[in-house]
Amino acid sequence: MKKSRLFKIILAFFLAILLPVLSVTIFEVIQQDKKEALLESIYQRQLDTILFAVNQNCYDNFNSWVIKLSSYFLKQPKALSQPEMVRKTLRNFVQSYSSIQGAFLRTNIGQYVTFMDASLPVARNNELSAASLNEIEEIIIKDRQAILTMTDHAVQGYVNPHIIKWQKVENAHKTLLLFPLVNIENANKILTLAGIFIDDRTFIEEIVGRKFNSMQESSFIFAVRDTSSGEMIYATEHVESDIFERSEALWIIPSLQLEIKLAGTTLDEFTHVQTRTNIIFLTIINIILLSSIFYIIRYVYLEMLLAQKEKDFVANVSHELRTPLALIRMFAELMEMGRVRSEEKKQHYYKTIMAESTRLTQLINNILDFSKIESKRKTYSLKPTNIRMLIMDILDFYQYHVSQKGFKINNNLELNLPRVLLDAEAVKQAVVNLIDNAIKYSNGNKNINITLQQKDSAVILSVQDFGLGIPVSEQQKVFNKFYRVENSLVHTTKGSGLGLTLVKNIMVQHRGQVTVKSKVGEGSTFSLIFPIDLKNGAQNGRNIDH
Ligand code: ADP
């Protein structure tokens, strides 16, 4: 077989499939760290976006409060100059939102109208204490610049509160949001300065918590931490470790920070698993690819081998046909010309013609049977047979051919064997093939032993030679079609590589088997094992041989 063709096929597979996939795998492995870092940064950004959305939501809430307040005074502009009306509005406003604990308006001339929830520690009769008012005034003076900028922004339509942490009593976490109240339909018109007191914890529970829960696909855990004490004041579920992947200050209450992490894993672990899964997946693909390529190459190789063997077969068979035909023709011509005078020579020629035509028939039978077996048309008709008689007939018929080649067959055929269910023609063909091989591969040793014996529930016919022998590694292969052992004789001894294939098939059809025992340089013994049904053996009968 052309080795270069196989090499080209392997090279094509390597270049077209293996090389790209292997390169991708190697690239993936080399890039693993970089990919992990990239993946991690992508996930981090995603987590940041989620926190941003929560913050934005808090701001939207604040804006809705601002709109609510300003729209009231916009509808009733005169109410602003009536403190009782303002106070009533503020009360309604404060009581509508559980996280708002108080609100006030400050007119341009520094007058305050307030409504405080009783729960606010600084409240007296729902009014903000004078001390607190003073404090607010001080803040307004101190943060004048910031409040002016805020007012400018409000005029442009962006209301950003000026945020003050209001912790006058221990453990009372409040935040004061100062903002200008503007006419939303005419931003230039600033109505007044307003303030809202919010209770941090209620704000977190009500507004932040609600947002967390609406966003929380089970893959995230959210928390809120007090940055000054480091204490975690809220979490969407119980967490063992309080190390969170990402955090961001809460815009509305900057002393608190929003935190987020993946549920059940860390970002680091998560990205590591992702990239590792990728590599494992690629490795599996590589293995599958390699094994299928190995399988395909093996298949192609075997097919090429078979094609080569078929070619050899044609050459061998042509040679095998030509040699006996040439002999037959030569002897027939000699006889026809009447040149052969001596009776003895004539007999010799006749016998040669007979023997060669027998060999031809044998070869042709092998080929025809093989093709019948291949197309599943071969049928066998099994009959209870005296196998010893059958073997004797074969030997008688074959004797001349064998002795002419200088071979001696020693037979040891047991008497009175049970009848064996067999197809006589097929078994004859099998035995002739074995004797033929014993002659062909005799390597100069011209003894052949044939034994027939019963062993338990089998009758065994063995053909033993003392010739070339078969290496152990080849002993099963010789039964494959067209298979011929590579040795010096294979080129000089012609054969089709079909003989033993037929023998094996014949034995399978007899529910028996063919075995080989062989040693290189010492010879081979092929045995045909016919099973006998001991119960039905009685029915088939036993031979009475003499
Ligand atoms: P072939 O026509 O080549 O003889 P067979 O199928 O009969 O085909 O045998 C297959 C191969 O097995 C042979 O080519 C030979 O190499 C090996 N072989 C068969 N019988 C013997 C034997 N008795 N001794 C040594 N080698 C044998």
Side-chain angles (χ1 to χ4, degrees), residues 339-402:
R339 290 230 193 114
V340 191
R341 301 255 181 266
S342 109
E343 199 49 38
E344 200 185 327
K345 263 207 168 147
K346 271 187 192 164
Q347 282 305 316
H348 171 67
Y349 287 177
Y350 285 140
K351 285 196 168 167
T352 308
I353 290 173
M354 270 296 287
E356 289 304 321
S357 49
T358 309
R359 266 188 52 67
L360 264 184
T361 315
Q362 160 76 8
L363 180 68
I364 290 167
N365 279 347
N366 271 358
I367 296 168
L368 289 180
D369 277 358
F370 174 74
S371 96
K372 274 189 190 162
I373 289 169
E374 285 283 281
S375 57
K376 308 216 175 347
R377 283 183 294 118
K378 175 80 184 160
T379 53
Y380 294 88
S381 103
L382 309 184
K383 291 188 186 121
T385 309
N386 180 337
I387 189 168
R388 183 172 187 274
M389 289 286 283
L390 179 71
I391 306 297
M392 300 259 284
D393 282 352
I394 298 170
L395 292 180
D396 266 357
F397 188 76
Y398 225 47
Q399 188 57 44
Y400 180 75
H401 171 72
V402 172

Side-chain angles (χ1 to χ4, degrees), residues 3-33:
K3 286 235 166 65
S4 63
R5 210 185 304 160
L6 190 67
F7 176 73
K8 274 185 199 155
I9 294 175
I10 295 174
L11 191 71
F13 270 121
F14 182 75
L15 291 178
I17 305 174
L18 256 187
L19 193 65
V21 181
L22 276 178
S23 325
V24 172
T25 314
I26 292 169
F27 182 75
E28 281 287 324
V29 174
I30 294 174
Q31 293 280 312
Q32 190 183 3
D33 283 351

Side-chain angles (χ1 to χ4, degrees), residues 176-187:
L176 169 60
L177 305 175
L178 278 178
F179 56 96
L181 209 56
V182 293
N183 180 343
I184 46 174
E185 281 166 11
N186 177 5

Side-chain angles (χ1 to χ4, degrees), residues 327-337 353:
L327 273 177
I328 293 170
R329 192 173 166 172
M330 185 181 84
F331 285 123
E333 273 175 4
L334 281 175
M335 307 277 274
E336 193 195 21
M337 283 189 277
I353 290 173

Side-chain angles (χ1 to χ4, degrees), residues 498-516:
L498 287 182
L500 289 179
T501 312
L502 284 175
V503 173
K504 184 173 175 184
N505 188 275
I506 289 168
M507 290 318 291
V508 169
Q509 296 302 325
H510 284 77
R511 295 180 197 287
Q513 53 174 323
V514 51
T515 60
V516 58

Side-chain angles (χ1 to χ4, degrees), residues 148-339:
L148 279 177
T149 317
M150 177 182 75
T151 312
D152 275 353
H153 285 161
V155 167
Q156 285 160 23
Y158 307 107
V159 182
N160 283 325
H162 184 61
I163 302 163
I164 299 123
K165 190 165 170 53
W166 196 266
Q167 194 171 11
K168 302 295 144 206
V169 181
E170 213 180 318
N171 288 333
H173 303 277
K174 314 289 168 191
T175 302
L176 169 60
L177 305 175
L178 278 178
F179 56 96
L181 209 56
V182 293
N183 180 343
I184 46 174
E185 281 166 11
N186 177 5
N188 281 325
K189 196 163 175 220
I190 297 164
L191 298 175
T192 177
L193 187 69
I196 297 177
F197 283 96
I198 54 174
D199 179 66
D200 296 358
R201 302 294 159 103
T202 320
F203 184 84
I204 297 300
E205 296 278 341
E206 294 276 315
I207 292 163
V208 180
R210 200 176 331 124
K211 183 64 186 166
F212 279 163
N213 288 325
S214 75
M215 298 183 88
Q216 190 191 8
E217 300 144 30
S218 54
S219 33
F220 302 117
I221 300 175
F222 295 97
V224 178
R225 192 189 300 273
D226 188 328
T227 41
S228 49
S229 66
E231 182 199 354
M232 193 189 292
I233 60 167
Y234 181 91
T236 47
E237 60 185 80
H238 172 75
V239 278
E240 292 298 329
S241 136
D242 69 348
I243 299 169
F244 277 67
E245 306 290 350
R246 305 296 290 170
S247 61
E248 183 169 320
L250 183 62
W251 302 337
I252 291 285
I253 312 173
S255 59
L256 300 182
Q257 101 181 353
L258 301 170
E259 302 196 346
I260 187 170
K261 72 187 256 178
L262 295 178
T265 178
T266 64
L267 201 53
D268 205 33
E269 228 173 66
F270 181 72
T271 48
H272 192 60
V273 167
Q274 295 279 311
T275 43
R276 214 176 32 202
T277 314
N278 252 359
I279 289 176
I280 291 176
F281 180 69
L282 271 173
T283 313
I284 293 174
I285 289 192
N286 270 304
I287 292 172
I288 295 176
L289 212 69
L290 268 176
S291 10
S292 47
I293 286 176
F294 172 76
Y295 178 79
I296 293 171
I297 288 175
R298 204 179 112 85
Y299 178 78
V300 170
Y301 175 74
L302 290 178
E303 281 298 306
M304 286 168 85
L305 213 62
L306 199 64
Q308 182 64 40
K309 290 208 154 128
E310 278 173 352
K311 251 197 218 160
D312 293 351
F313 165 78
V314 174
N316 289 344
V317 167
S318 320
H319 179 88
E320 286 229 341
L321 289 174
R322 208 178 299 130
T323 321
L325 272 178
L327 273 177
I328 293 170
R329 192 173 166 172
M330 185 181 84
F331 285 123
E333 273 175 4
L334 281 175
M335 307 277 274
E336 193 195 21
M337 283 189 277
R339 290 230 193 114

